[in-house]
Amino acid sequence: MNLYTCSIDLRNDGVALKFAKALDEWMTHLQEREVILSWQLYRRKLNLASSSHRDFLLQIAVKDLAQLDQAFRMLGQHDEHIDKLYRAVHDQIMHAEFGLYRPFPDPERAERMAML
């Protein structure tokens, strides 16, 4: 499994619950199409974070890079419904940073380390 993370700040006129609802619709669509495994949205609590941490943290689980590629390819399709779902989320975002994580040590690395 791989974890795709998005650290997000909304635009000044963004409404948190409206963003959460739009994100739920978009992620549910991706999950129903089986291009992601699961997702979770978190919000910073009590403003306890450094300046490098954004207000929201979105975590999207995919089984492998091929599945993540399918999700990106689906976004690239010129489909009116997909565009509407994506825009409803993206238009509320002022700043986003992304990262891709994997379990560590991963099975391949653990296997190599055992041979040393």
Side-chain angles (χ1 to χ4, degrees):
M1 183 185 76
N2 291 272
L3 194 60
Y4 186 72
T5 65
C6 308
S7 185
I8 301 165
D9 279 334
L10 298 183
R11 294 180 188 269
N12 291 335
D13 60 349
V15 178
L17 289 176
K18 181 179 173 186
F19 170 71
K21 180 181 183 307
L23 185 67
D24 179 61
E25 291 171 359
W26 173 233
M27 292 293 113
T28 298
H29 180 80
L30 294 176
Q31 202 168 13
E32 288 172 351
R33 300 313 178 275
E34 299 182 351
V35 296
I36 66 170
L37 294 175
S38 63
W39 66 279
Q40 184 67 51
L41 181 65
Y42 299 92
R43 188 166 192 191
R44 185 172 53 201
K45 187 171 182 172
L46 300 174
N47 211 21
L48 291 174
S50 69
S51 61
S52 64
H53 289 84
R54 304 284 168 221
D55 195 21
F56 290 94
L57 176 64
L58 171 62
Q59 295 182 334
I60 303 169
V62 293
K63 60 184 167 192
D64 53 27
L65 293 179
Q67 188 179 38
L68 183 60
D69 186 55
Q70 286 178 329
F72 284 125
R73 276 190 274 132
M74 191 172 118
L75 179 59
Q77 296 172 359
H78 295 289
D79 177 281
E80 190 174 314
H81 181 64
I82 290 172
D83 290 345
K84 179 183 173 191
L85 290 172
Y86 178 77
R87 269 194 323 275
V89 172
H90 189 267
D91 289 351
Q92 297 184 66
I93 296 173
M94 176 176 60
H95 185 87
E97 296 174 346
F98 306 92
L100 182 63
Y101 293 85
R102 62 180 167 82
F104 186 83
D106 54 347
E108 294 82 12
R109 186 173 307 253
E111 196 172 288
R112 277 185 272 156
M113 294 304 290
M115 294 190 314
L116 294 178

